[in-house]
């Protein structure tokens, strides 16, 4: 029999880093700050939540770096959970990733892209309805989101190099755009340093009233963590990265640090120009466009809106490129639709998995508002990220009795690819993640319980795939 087509190791450390940075810097930093300002009205707390979110993400990335070095395989986090806790836990993650985490990100970012078309004079907001059938409404933003998902799915079906080219280009452009906006804001003299005071306090915005400070802060940081999430997406494409044992940990570290610095600079610039009370009241939560309008007038709104369109488009590309690899890995293990395990014979891409992911992402884009998708996604994603870091402790304990080997079967020294500061750094990550998981649940129980129910739906699905051997269309 002819050898089956396989994934190709075509990506270097630069492309791996741009997948991380480009997947994180999308729509969140341009919209989430306004949503957060409606929940928490203390400037120091507002900025502190962004810094804390970056620190928490970095701690997680340090742990994931070791897991990547141990298991540089397609599917990344799915593989980590499978190896640490067994196939059912791995499946529950992959199922939830497919059902809401990755596809939810795809939908939310695509909707954000559509919303920012308004900055260039195209009416595509969530309030611009084209269909109303009782409780069912379809907006222009949702229609545009579906079109973007379809286009980028087609691009990534063409080849990983094509997808990486789009990712590299748009990541460089978006970093330049965010840094330039922050520099212009601070150089303009149109802001007020008093907007940064007070640094401490428990003041709440209109959306946070009635929640209590910790609950409001928990819901607020869920929006920041949405902007930071997808840092783990590069682990999904591990089988397509050259020298993954070295390049993946480096990409995780530098990608997270660069993104955190970019986010904090942008949020500080917003706050310098707009006090939190005004930031929380910005129409459609388009705080970056509002700041650009104050700085440069209508021309600034258009220029920044174009830059944000570039950013969200690049983010969407990174999410689509990486997420389908998890479905491919699950199908290869017999835990998803068998067709998704096929690699295109000439393009060497998991084209079927990409199409399935694209269809469900489009369904989610048609199902809910931007803010609600953020909460559903972040609660489930943060919970699984925490469980994956627990898996590092499990695998470390297990390796006392089992000699590790690389993908070619060669023994690997137990001193290689270690997490910096272990066990303190992963323990701190778990402490911070556990705190915010609890208060996201308290602050928005309905959305959180929906997230839990989506995970629970994976139990009967797992039984079905195990019983039928994934021998489905």
């Amino acid at each position: 029999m002819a050898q089956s087509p396989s994934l190709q190791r075509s990506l270097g450390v630069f492309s791996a880093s741009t997948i991380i940075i480009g997947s994180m810097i999308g729509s969140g930093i341009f919209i989430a700050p306004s949503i957060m300002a409606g929940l928490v009205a203390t400037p120091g707390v507002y900025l502190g939540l962004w810094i804390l979110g970056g620190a928490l993400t970095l701690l997680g990335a340090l742990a994931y770096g070791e897991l990547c070095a141990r298991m540089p395989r397609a599917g990344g986090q799915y593989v980590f959970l499978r190896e640490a806790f067994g196939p059912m836990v791995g499946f529950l993650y992959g199922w939830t990733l497919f059902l809401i985490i990755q596809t939810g990100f795809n939908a939310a970012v695509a909707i954000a892209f559509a919303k920012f078309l308004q900055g260039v004079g195209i009416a595509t907001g969530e309030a611009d309805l084209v269909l109303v059938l009782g409780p069912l409404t379809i907006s222009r933003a949702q229609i545009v989101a579906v079109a973007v998902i379809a286009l980028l799915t087609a691009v990534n079906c063409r080849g990983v190099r094509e997808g990486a080219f789009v990712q590299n280009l748009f990541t460089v452009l978006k970093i330049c755009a965010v840094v330039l906006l922050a520099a212009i804001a601070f150089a303009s003299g149109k802001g007020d340093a008093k907007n940064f005071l007070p640094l401490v306090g428990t003041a709440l915005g209109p959306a946070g009233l009635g929640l209590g400070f910790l609950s409001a802060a928990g819901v607020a940081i869920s929006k920041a963590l949405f902007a930071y999430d997808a840092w783990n997406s590069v682990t999904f494409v591990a089988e397509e990265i050259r020298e993954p044992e070295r390049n993946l940990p480096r990409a995780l570290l530098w990608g997270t640090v660069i993104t955190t610095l970019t986010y904090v600079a942008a949020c500080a610039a917003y706050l310098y120009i707009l006090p939190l009370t005004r930031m929380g009241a910005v129409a459609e939560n388009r705080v970056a466009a509002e700041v650009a309008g104050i700085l440069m007038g209508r021309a600034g709104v258009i220029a920044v809106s174009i830059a944000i369109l570039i950013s969200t488009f690049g983010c969407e590309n990174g999410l689509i490129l990486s997420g389908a690899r998890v479905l491919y890995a699950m199908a290869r293990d017999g835990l998803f639709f068998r067709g998704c395990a096929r690699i295109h014979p000439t393009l060497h891409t998991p084209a079927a998995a990409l199409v399935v992911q694209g269809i469900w992402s489009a369904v989610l884009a048609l199902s809910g508002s931007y803010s609600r998708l953020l909460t559903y996604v972040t609660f489930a994603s943060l919970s699984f990220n925490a469980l994956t870091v627990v898996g590092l402790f499990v695998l470390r304990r297990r390796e006392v009795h089992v000699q590790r080997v690389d993908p070619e079967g060669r023994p690997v020294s137990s001193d290689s690819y270690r997490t910096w500061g272990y066990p303190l750094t992963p323990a701190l990550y778990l402490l911070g993640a556990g705190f915010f998981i609890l208060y996201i649940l308290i602050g928005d129980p309905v959305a959180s319980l929906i997230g839990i129910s989506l995970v629970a739906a994976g139990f009967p699905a797992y039984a079905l795939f195990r019983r039928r051997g994934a021998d489905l269309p």
Side-chain angles (χ1 to χ4, degrees), residues 29-240:
I29 190 58
F30 306 114
I31 293 178
S34 176
I35 300 174
M36 291 172 66
L39 289 158
V40 177
T42 304
V45 173
Y46 158 80
L47 284 178
L49 290 177
W50 283 98
I51 295 170
L52 183 59
L56 192 65
T57 301
L58 179 59
L59 291 173
L62 292 175
Y64 274 53
E66 179 172 331
L67 292 169
C68 287
R70 289 168 175 267
M71 296 167 280
R73 305 171 196 165
Q77 190 169 351
Y78 157 75
V79 175
F80 307 158
L81 289 166
R82 183 195 67 196
E83 294 300 309
F85 302 108
M88 186 173 71
V89 174
F91 174 83
L92 288 176
Y93 169 72
W95 167 264
T96 311
L97 189 93
F98 166 67
L99 205 61
I100 189 64
I101 297 175
Q102 195 81 1
T103 51
F105 276 127
N106 292 348
V109 174
I111 289 172
F113 174 89
K115 290 171 69 170
F116 277 104
L117 285 171
Q118 295 180 101
V120 295
I122 303 174
T124 52
E126 290 183 283
D128 297 309
L129 301 181
V130 296
L131 177 65
V132 179
L133 292 175
L136 174 65
T137 61
I138 302 296
S139 68
R140 293 178 184 175
Q142 290 169 303
I143 292 174
V144 171
V146 170
V148 169
I149 291 167
L151 172 63
L152 288 175
T153 296
V155 168
N156 281 281
C157 284
R158 294 292 303 168
V160 69
R161 286 191 180 91
E162 286 79 358
F165 173 78
V166 172
Q167 192 67 15
N168 295 344
L169 174 63
F170 280 77
T171 297
V172 171
L173 290 175
K174 74 175 69 179
I175 291 176
C176 292
V178 175
V179 171
L180 181 61
L181 177 60
I184 292 173
F186 284 114
S188 69
K190 294 184 178 181
D192 190 343
K194 294 180 181 179
N195 291 346
F196 292 95
L197 300 175
L199 294 178
V200 295
T202 58
L204 300 176
L209 297 177
L211 290 178
F213 176 73
L214 290 177
S215 296
V219 177
I221 203 172
S222 75
K223 314 307 178 186
L225 291 174
F226 167 81
Y228 280 110
D229 215 332
W231 56 271
N232 57 338
S233 59
V234 72
T235 70
F236 305 157
V237 297
E239 275 187 37
E240 293 157 281

Side-chain angles (χ1 to χ4, degrees), residues 392-473:
L392 175 60
F393 287 96
V394 173
L395 292 171
R396 280 278 194 114
R397 184 177 181 84
R398 192 178 296 165
E399 77 173 358
V400 174
H401 308 288
V402 179
Q403 172 65 53
R404 288 198 296 128
V405 296
D406 67 12
E408 285 71 41
R410 295 170 299 189
V412 176
S413 169
S414 60
D415 295 327
S416 300
Y417 320 123
R418 293 300 206 181
T419 298
W420 294 352
Y422 181 92
L424 180 60
T425 51
L428 286 174
Y429 176 83
L430 291 175
L431 183 65
F435 175 85
F436 287 111
I437 288 169
L438 174 63
Y439 278 100
I440 291 171
L441 177 61
I442 294 172
D444 199 342
V446 174
S448 300
L449 288 173
I450 289 174
I452 292 171
S453 67
L454 291 171
V455 176
F459 287 105
Y462 177 75
L464 174 65
F465 281 114
R466 292 282 286 188
R467 183 170 65 251
R468 301 187 62 177
D471 203 3
L472 299 170

Side-chain angles (χ1 to χ4, degrees), residues 9 11-24 61 64-65 68 71-77 80 93 102 167 229-241 244 247-253 255-256 318-319 321-323 325-326:
R9 292 199 182 276
L11 307 178
V13 67
F14 179 75
S15 293
S17 298
T18 61
I19 288 173
I20 297 170
I21 299 169
S23 297
M24 283 199 283
Y64 274 53
C68 287
M71 296 167 280
R73 305 171 196 165
Q77 190 169 351
F80 307 158
Y93 169 72
Q102 195 81 1
Q167 192 67 15
D229 215 332
W231 56 271
N232 57 338
S233 59
V234 72
T235 70
F236 305 157
V237 297
E239 275 187 37
E240 293 157 281
I241 294 176
N247 289 336
L248 274 170
R250 289 180 177 179
L252 279 163
L253 175 62
T256 303
L319 293 170
L321 184 156
S322 58
R325 273 63 181 176
V326 177

